[in-house]
Amino acid sequence: MRPDGQVRHVSMLLSSTARGARIARLLAVDALRSWEVPYETAGQVVAELAANAATHGRVPGRSFRLTLYVVGTTLRIEVTDTRGDRRPVLREPDGVEESGRGLFLVDALADRWGLAEGRHPRKTVWAEIDLTPAPERETSGSGDVGD
């Protein structure tokens, strides 16, 4: 939360295309930077969820929605598409397939993720990342490099 107690959030509609998925990642990273929130892991999660929405959740002429919230020390990423009939499937990738690793990466990078069914025909795939301060590096203070 911000010092004034308000929740930081942004929400945008993007075209269900590969370009829309790329723009989702760029806009998410820009928003997170402006909020001074770590963005590397979140950018990758957004990229994977947006790519899935543009590929598997695509309905011609319909967009997908990207929403980011920071509440306390949690970043929540939501991607909503209009293919509620196509539920995400987490599967172990094999070495041969060129695709199918998106949710595997989300599962590895996010602290939690899941599916929220919306009003038909929508579904929202969400992921949460715990934002914890980076541990302070310990220094000896001696300045000795060794003998």
Side-chain angles (χ1 to χ4, degrees):
M1 285 219 248
R2 295 181 0 189
D4 59 8
Q6 294 184 355
V7 173
R8 290 177 283 182
H9 72 281
V10 65
S11 185
M12 60 201 82
L13 280 176
L14 298 145
S15 66
S16 292
T17 62
R19 183 173 187 264
R22 283 191 304 275
I23 291 171
R25 181 184 181 280
L26 293 172
L27 292 173
V29 166
D30 187 55
L32 296 171
R33 277 185 183 152
S34 74
W35 297 341
E36 297 179 356
V37 170
Y39 58 85
E40 293 85 0
T41 298
Q44 186 63 45
V45 170
V46 168
E48 298 302 335
L49 294 180
N52 282 351
T55 304
H56 306 293
R58 178 176 165 73
V59 173
R62 294 196 182 161
S63 302
F64 71 90
R65 177 173 296 280
L66 169 66
T67 305
L68 304 174
Y69 299 94
V70 175
V71 180
T73 60
T74 301
L75 167 64
R76 184 173 174 102
I77 301 162
E78 297 180 351
V79 175
T80 303
D81 65 48
T82 54
R83 288 297 304 261
D85 60 318
R86 297 188 81 182
R87 301 175 62 87
V89 176
L90 176 63
R91 55 189 165 133
E92 189 79 27
D94 63 24
V96 179
E97 303 261 342
E98 290 185 19
S99 63
R101 292 172 178 82
L103 283 179
F104 184 77
L105 289 172
V106 169
D107 188 59
L109 295 171
D111 293 293
R112 294 163 295 285
W113 72 274
L115 173 71
E117 297 196 27
R119 249 183 48 218
H120 184 74
R122 294 181 197 96
K123 73 170 177 300
T124 299
V125 181
W126 58 267
E128 292 181 343
I129 298 172
D130 295 331
L131 305 172
T132 55
E136 292 186 28
R137 289 182 22 185
E138 193 173 307
T139 57
S140 67
S142 70
D144 293 338
V145 179
D147 294 333

